Amino acid sequence: MLIMAGHRDGRNRRAEAGTGLGSAERFYRQVPAPALIGMEATGNCHWLVDLLAELGHEPWVGDAAQIRTSYVRQQKTDKRDAAHILKLLVEGRFPRIWMPSSGVRDLRQLLLHRYKLVILRARVKNELQHLCLNQGVQRKHKLWSKAGQKLLRELPLQPWAGRRRDDLLALMAMFEQQIEPLDQAVKAEAQRDKRALLLQTQPGVGPITALAYVLTLGDVSRFPRGKQVASYLGLIPREHSSGGRQKLGAITKQGNRMLRMLLVEAAQAAVRYDPQFRREYQHRCHQKPKAVAKVAAARKLAVRLYWMLRTHQPYPEVVPIESSPRVALVGAS
């Protein structure tokens, strides 16, 4: 099998204006298949991964941070970077990362699109809340009830403030109309996925969180321990320890931001419905701020969901075994 270094970034477009095939596609069509091709992970490389797979090659995507740290030279060019990637491939030191299939990536777009619209809707709601506060009206979440909406529409405002209120209400209605079918689509996909159905047995975990968790983690056998899952999702603290002194900071946030937010929300629901979560959360609130306790609950929830997928055990059967050191590793005989 031919081993070669691929394009380092997404600047080479698949199709160029006024021409048929892009330079990258013309080049790789000339490479004898199958070939092992290594490339750095970037935000816009999916088209190249799909192209290489379509042409019969085997694309390996590497961790960009690890590739950079293994190359200490100060001179940086595309040619040097490609030679370094090729060297890592030949020596068997290429830091390959897991890549989801095209179908999984498309389902992720469904969740991501919904997530972005929900954020925009939340911003519109915050603007309406500020509009009410400037008029001496404070209703918090009750502002979105029928009585609250009626009060908001009947507020006596100056002309331009009234125009702003009307436009914001129209935007909120538009986002509600767009988010509703996306919610239904997510629920339908979660109903078809056995792993998502398994995760929904945990109190506080709904179809959106369950499907996002399954699509983000993929095959859980990639993670030998639950702590690695927490690290993958950015739910562990930063650490800068030296000389026998341990110094921990805020969480790393080096992971999927959408899933991290969903886990925090689901953990708050689990605190209400799961007795064990409630006891640990209340105990932690006596020692730490509530925000820290919420993140800790989200981390525990992420690890428990991992154990559910790893052992194929629903809630509450998974509770006694999630902390047992005697459970065999995934794939172990």
Side-chain angles (χ1 to χ4, degrees):
M1 176 182 290
L2 176 65
I3 302 177
M4 61 184 300
H7 284 69
R8 186 178 173 275
D9 50 39
R11 287 175 293 181
N12 295 280
R13 297 179 178 86
R14 182 172 184 174
E16 297 172 342
T19 62
L21 300 177
S23 58
E25 185 166 358
R26 287 197 299 269
F27 173 79
Y28 285 111
R29 283 192 180 278
Q30 299 174 1
V31 177
L36 175 61
I37 301 175
M39 58 185 295
E40 264 190 20
T42 63
N44 301 307
C45 67
H46 290 158
W47 67 269
L48 182 56
V49 174
D50 292 338
L51 171 65
L52 296 176
E54 179 185 337
L55 296 177
H57 301 304
E58 183 179 0
W60 282 18
V61 182
D63 188 312
Q66 293 188 34
I67 291 176
R68 285 194 297 269
T69 55
S70 62
Y71 189 55
V72 296
R73 298 199 59 169
Q74 298 298 318
Q75 294 81 11
K76 178 193 174 303
T77 64
D78 288 344
K79 186 176 180 180
R80 288 181 182 273
D81 292 340
H84 178 60
I85 292 175
L86 179 60
K87 180 180 179 182
L88 294 176
L89 285 169
V90 173
E91 296 178 354
R93 298 187 296 117
F94 187 74
R96 187 183 182 185
I97 62 175
W98 172 75
M99 286 291 292
S101 64
S102 59
V104 170
R105 294 202 306 268
D106 190 52
L107 284 178
R108 284 184 176 184
Q109 291 298 313
L110 166 63
L111 290 167
L112 182 62
H113 183 44
R114 179 196 173 276
Y115 168 67
K116 296 294 185 180
L117 290 179
V118 168
I119 289 179
L120 292 175
R121 182 183 62 182
R123 291 179 178 177
V124 171
K125 287 185 174 182
N126 289 338
E127 293 296 329
L128 288 170
Q129 288 280 10
H130 288 302
L131 197 63
C132 289
L133 290 175
N134 285 330
Q135 301 300 317
V137 177
Q138 185 177 15
R139 291 293 184 270
K140 296 184 179 180
H141 66 278
K142 294 182 180 179
L143 183 64
W144 315 122
S145 64
K146 290 184 178 180
Q149 289 289 287
K150 181 180 178 181
L151 175 65
L152 176 59
R153 295 179 185 277
E154 294 177 353
L155 278 178
L157 300 175
Q158 294 293 325
W160 284 112
R163 170 66 181 274
R164 180 165 177 249
R165 173 189 56 191
D166 295 340
D167 289 348
L168 289 173
L169 287 172
L171 284 174
M172 188 175 71
M174 181 189 68
F175 287 135
E176 293 282 0
Q177 185 179 8
Q178 293 180 348
I179 292 173
E180 176 61 27
L182 297 179
D183 287 340
Q184 298 303 323
V186 172
K187 291 178 182 178
E189 292 294 339
Q191 192 67 25
R192 287 192 287 266
D193 194 302
K194 295 181 179 179
R195 295 175 298 169
L197 289 174
L198 176 65
L199 297 185
Q200 291 180 67
T201 61
Q202 165 65 41
V205 176
I208 296 174
T209 304
L211 186 63
Y213 192 91
V214 168
L215 295 180
T216 301
L217 261 67
D219 185 4
V220 295
S221 63
R222 301 188 295 128
F223 305 96
R225 296 183 299 168
K227 184 178 180 180
Q228 293 182 338
V229 174
S231 175
Y232 183 75
L233 298 177
L235 289 171
I236 63 172
R238 301 176 186 269
E239 182 173 3
H240 188 75
S241 303
S242 180
R245 297 182 60 183
Q246 187 180 45
K247 184 178 179 181
L248 301 178
I251 59 173
T252 62
K253 297 185 179 181
Q254 290 181 323
N256 190 301
R257 182 180 180 182
M258 176 187 66
L259 180 56
R260 196 163 50 247
M261 183 201 72
L262 291 174
L263 287 171
V264 172
E265 292 181 350
Q268 296 178 66
V271 167
R272 294 194 297 268
Y273 302 115
D274 190 321
Q276 182 184 3
F277 265 84
R278 182 164 55 252
R279 286 194 302 269
E280 294 186 7
Y281 174 77
Q282 292 175 346
H283 176 73
R284 192 168 281 110
C285 283
H286 290 300
Q287 303 173 341
K288 300 289 185 179
K290 284 190 176 181
V292 176
K294 289 179 181 179
V295 174
R299 179 168 61 247
K300 178 178 176 59
L301 179 62
V303 174
R304 174 174 290 183
L305 297 182
Y306 158 77
W307 276 98
M308 293 174 71
L309 293 178
R310 171 173 161 173
T311 61
H312 307 286
Q313 293 291 332
Y315 178 90
E317 286 80 3
V318 73
V319 176
I321 66 175
E322 64 174 323
S323 59
S324 174
R326 296 185 294 274
V327 178
L329 293 177
V330 176
S333 56

